[in-house]
Amino acid sequence: MPQSTPDLKPSYTIRSQGDRCINVDFGDAINPETGRICLSASAIFRAAHLPGVFEIVPTYISVALHYVPTQENMAQGCAYETLSERLHELLKDGIPNLEQASRTFKIPVCYGGTHGPDLHDIAKRINLSPEEVIARHSQSPAMVYMLGFAPGCPYVALLDPVFAIPRRDTPITAVPAGAVVVANRQNMIYPSTLPCGWHILGSTPLKMFDLDRNPPVLLSPGDHVAYVPISAEEYDHIKHTQTFEMAT
């Protein structure tokens, strides 16, 4: 069980997100404190076994609860008003600041070249050498705040402030699985081939999402990430074997 430290008493707003989802908003900016609040609130909501709720999803600044409306299933559903009242009840006295079981994953990344075609452009934008960009990225303390966009796709933040660069002007229609992309001090690692509006810094040979693995996702919200620069030869070897000492 996660350990509890002094309670958090966050301000929050509850709002409807369509007729099958309710959002609890805890802030409007990405920061570690709000991230911890979202993770702790998610744990509290799960422990409450809320009727009708079948999925609870933490994000950077909020927690989304997906539920079955009452009118569809009287035995298992839940009305919006009832669920909203229950959430207010759970939050009225604050929430325990749950110390999540912290895992740190070493993620190997081959930077630049065909694996990171935007490395030199990023370096030029922020007035650093490509080697300095790699050092700044691999030394950035970073945490997985949420999974989204595609199954197993981790959103990692907050990177070194030098990576506060905007999204690309023109998105790319297809970026391969493993691409490590950056924008606005955030980082995603692509689990499959998908469109992309961020800048490709490098690529990891590890699979972020694999249905033959249990669990299929490699990274989860609350995990810490340490990027490890590798060569193209090391990339090919790890991609073939899928072996790398990741967890610490």
Side-chain angles (χ1 to χ4, degrees):
M1 287 289 294
Q3 295 182 340
S4 177
T5 55
D7 285 2
L8 301 163
K9 296 188 179 295
S11 59
Y12 66 91
T13 301
I14 293 177
R15 60 185 175 87
S16 175
Q17 188 74 16
D19 63 352
R20 299 167 185 270
C21 180
I22 187 168
N23 266 27
V24 185
D25 299 325
F26 292 104
D28 57 8
I30 302 171
N31 60 68
E33 180 181 0
T34 304
R36 286 193 296 271
I37 289 170
C38 291
L39 292 175
S40 292
S42 296
I44 297 305
F45 297 159
R46 290 191 182 96
H49 301 292
L50 297 164
V53 174
F54 60 87
E55 189 170 9
I56 297 173
V57 184
T59 73
Y60 281 125
I61 61 173
S62 64
V63 179
L65 297 94
H66 298 266
Y67 67 99
V68 178
T70 301
Q71 62 269 24
E72 287 194 6
N73 189 325
M74 292 298 292
Q76 298 177 9
C78 185
Y80 170 82
E81 293 77 9
T82 302
L83 182 54
S84 178
E85 289 174 6
R86 183 70 178 109
L87 293 173
H88 279 300
E89 183 71 21
L90 290 170
L91 295 170
K92 69 177 183 179
D93 296 322
I95 56 177
N97 182 11
L98 299 178
E99 295 292 339
Q100 305 293 320
S102 181
R103 305 184 302 175
T104 297
F105 281 89
K106 294 179 181 178
I107 303 297
V109 178
C110 184
Y111 293 92
T114 58
H115 294 290
D118 295 329
L119 172 62
H120 285 272
D121 180 59
I122 292 171
K124 188 179 299 183
R125 279 172 175 259
I126 59 182
N127 198 29
L128 293 175
S129 69
E131 293 74 21
E132 288 172 319
V133 171
I134 293 170
R136 291 288 190 99
H137 185 257
S138 61
Q139 293 168 15
S140 289
M143 186 183 82
V144 179
Y145 280 71
M146 64 179 185
L147 300 180
F149 181 49
C153 183
Y155 280 73
V156 182
L158 286 165
L159 300 180
D160 187 304
V162 299
F163 294 106
I165 54 179
R167 295 163 57 95
R168 58 170 66 244
D169 295 333
T170 304
I172 303 172
T173 56
V175 169
V180 176
V181 301
V182 295
N184 300 314
R185 294 188 66 189
Q186 302 170 58
N187 197 163
M188 281 194 296
I189 309 175
Y190 270 43
S192 55
T193 300
L194 295 162
C196 179
W198 295 16
H199 307 274
I200 310 170
L201 190 59
S203 183
T204 180
L206 299 178
K207 295 179 180 179
M208 293 296 107
F209 185 77
D210 185 354
L211 286 174
D212 294 327
R213 186 172 58 206
N214 186 22
V217 296
L218 182 64
L219 299 174
S220 298
D223 287 342
H224 293 272
V225 174
Y227 294 106
V228 180
I230 60 171
S231 67
E233 292 74 22
E234 290 172 309
Y235 176 95
D236 292 338
H237 174 73
I238 297 169
K239 187 174 181 64
H240 177 70
T241 62
Q242 283 297 302
T243 57
F244 188 77
E245 190 175 344
M246 294 177 290
T248 60

